[in-house]
Amino acid sequence: MSGVHKRYFEDIAAGDRVTTGEIAVSAGDIETYCRQFDPQPHHLDPAAAAETVLKEIVASGWHTTSITMKLLVEGEALGGAPIIGMGARELKWPRAVRPGDRLHVVAEVIETRASSGGRPFGTVTLQVRTLNQEGAPVLEMVTSLIMPTRPADGAEA
């Protein structure tokens, strides 16, 4: 990203949708992520995983969330503007991500809110769904982001 925004808060409206490209998740990806960030035995050891309700090694929900972020950034969900998160709510992982799954994101703007007091940003709220190759959701959340407004002097930020 060059630092020049392709889109600003004023360019975003409720109902706007973006669909990203996809990422394939391998067993090695799951192991690497979990060793570093979620080293629970059921994510790393087939015998421990067999004792869980899922019966096999699956990705951590946090790994799925990280993949979602990567897809949103690489897909330029906000037109190349920085994705500065304010928080997420209603975060759910309705299905497990298994080795070989291919994930993509569908995000829809559900609300925009201008900042008060002349601040150079607005708030954009997205309904985010990460789907597997069958179109089944593996992550659902609502997230609010800060997005820069177009500079008053017309200069690019």
Side-chain angles (χ1 to χ4, degrees):
M1 222 161 46
S2 67
V4 176
H5 308 308
K6 297 177 185 171
R7 292 178 80 189
Y8 291 91
F9 172 77
E10 295 85 356
D11 302 320
I12 305 295
D16 289 354
R17 282 178 67 123
V18 63
T19 300
T20 70
E22 70 176 27
I23 290 178
V25 181
S26 71
D29 295 334
I30 292 170
E31 180 179 359
T32 298
Y33 184 93
C34 288
R35 283 203 185 286
Q36 187 167 5
F37 298 109
D38 193 353
Q40 298 182 78
H42 66 272
H43 284 307
L44 298 166
D45 175 21
E51 297 297 320
T52 70
V53 66
L54 296 169
K55 303 294 184 204
E56 63 182 320
I57 290 178
V58 298
S60 164
W62 299 113
H63 187 185
T64 304
T65 307
S66 296
I67 290 168
T68 299
M69 183 65 186
K70 179 179 175 73
L71 286 165
L72 288 169
V73 170
E74 289 182 350
E76 295 190 342
L78 296 178
I83 298 175
I84 300 172
M86 296 174 60
R89 60 186 191 272
E90 302 174 35
L91 174 61
K92 298 179 229 174
W93 299 295
R95 283 176 188 75
V97 173
R98 292 175 165 76
D101 279 355
R102 295 182 319 277
L103 307 181
H104 70 279
V105 174
V106 176
E108 181 174 350
V109 177
I110 56 176
E111 179 184 34
T112 61
R113 189 174 63 248
S115 294
S116 60
R119 295 183 188 157
F121 60 86
T123 302
V124 176
T125 302
L126 300 174
Q127 171 67 56
V128 177
R129 295 176 68 226
T130 305
L131 309 172
N132 66 18
Q133 66 280 357
E134 297 166 355
V138 296
L139 177 144
E140 296 174 341
M141 71 175 163
V142 174
T143 186
S144 295
L145 312 167
I146 296 171
M147 187 166 185
T149 56
R150 186 169 279 107
D153 63 7
E156 295 295 310

